[in-house]
């Protein structure tokens, strides 16, 4: 069975999460960022962005953050809310230490903004 672009996005999300959890090199994390972005762009260009929406409600913080970034320009209010929730998380409030970079990145995305051509 041939993989769909959505399968590639989900696979990249899983790999990125594993890299954070296992404290692997950031270059590996970035490699899957590029793959995730490439296939998400195809999905959005085909008008299939709603297929990514369930990932915004994932229990996995990393999936939610990445998907909120990917869908930010399609669903700005919902994605801003998710980014805000994640940016407010900390180790003191129960955030696993390996997700600190996700919380900081969400804060920076809200502060600096997400490029118009993203993904």
């Amino acid at each position: 069975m041939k993989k769909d672009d959505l399968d590639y996005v989900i696979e990249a999300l899983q790999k990125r999460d594993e890299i954070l959890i296992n404290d692997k090199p950031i270059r590996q994390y970035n490699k899957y960022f590029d793959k995730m972005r490439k296939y998400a762009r195809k999905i959005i260009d085909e008008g299939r962005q709603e297929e990514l929406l369930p990932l915004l409600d994932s229990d996995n913080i990393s999936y939610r953050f990445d998907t909120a970034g990917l869908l930010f320009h399609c669903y700005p209010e919902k994605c801003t809310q998710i980014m805000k929730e994640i940016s407010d998380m900390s180790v003191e409030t129960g955030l696993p230490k390996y997700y600190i970079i996700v919380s900081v990145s969400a804060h920076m995305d809200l502060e600096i903004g997400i490029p118009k051509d993203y993904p």
Side-chain angles (χ1 to χ4, degrees), residues 71-72 74-83:
L71 294 177
F72 191 84
C74 299
Y75 308 100
E77 289 178 20
K78 176 137 180 94
C79 293
T80 298
Q81 175 189 353
I82 289 167
M83 292 278 196

Side-chain angles (χ1 to χ4, degrees), residues 9-114:
V9 171
I10 292 170
E11 183 178 281
L13 291 171
Q14 291 169 338
K15 292 288 187 183
R16 284 170 57 82
D17 190 51
E18 289 171 16
I19 290 164
L20 289 175
I21 291 169
N22 296 313
D23 197 27
K24 292 188 177 178
I26 200 72
R27 75 174 147 43
Q28 287 181 9
Y29 187 72
N30 291 338
K31 171 185 160 186
Y32 287 101
F33 173 82
D34 293 338
K35 287 183 179 189
M36 172 189 73
R37 193 177 159 195
K38 172 185 169 183
Y39 290 105
R41 177 80 269 155
K42 288 181 178 185
I43 290 169
I44 292 168
D45 287 347
E46 292 171 2
R48 298 171 42 211
Q49 59 271 12
E50 71 280 350
E51 294 176 31
L52 293 167
L53 279 173
L55 295 166
L56 291 175
D57 296 321
S58 173
D59 290 336
N60 185 296
I61 295 163
S62 179
Y63 292 10
R64 289 181 67 215
F65 166 73
D66 282 337
T67 306
L70 295 171
L71 294 177
F72 191 84
H73 297 298
C74 299
Y75 308 100
E77 289 178 20
K78 176 137 180 94
C79 293
T80 298
Q81 175 189 353
I82 289 167
M83 292 278 196
K84 176 76 174 110
E85 288 171 11
I86 293 171
S87 72
D88 289 340
M89 294 177 175
S90 68
V91 173
E92 292 79 22
T93 62
L95 181 71
K97 193 174 183 178
Y98 47 83
Y99 285 142
I100 290 296
I101 191 169
V102 174
S103 178
V104 170
S105 295
H107 179 77
M108 289 174 56
D109 285 350
L110 289 170
E111 191 172 296
I112 297 168
I114 295 177

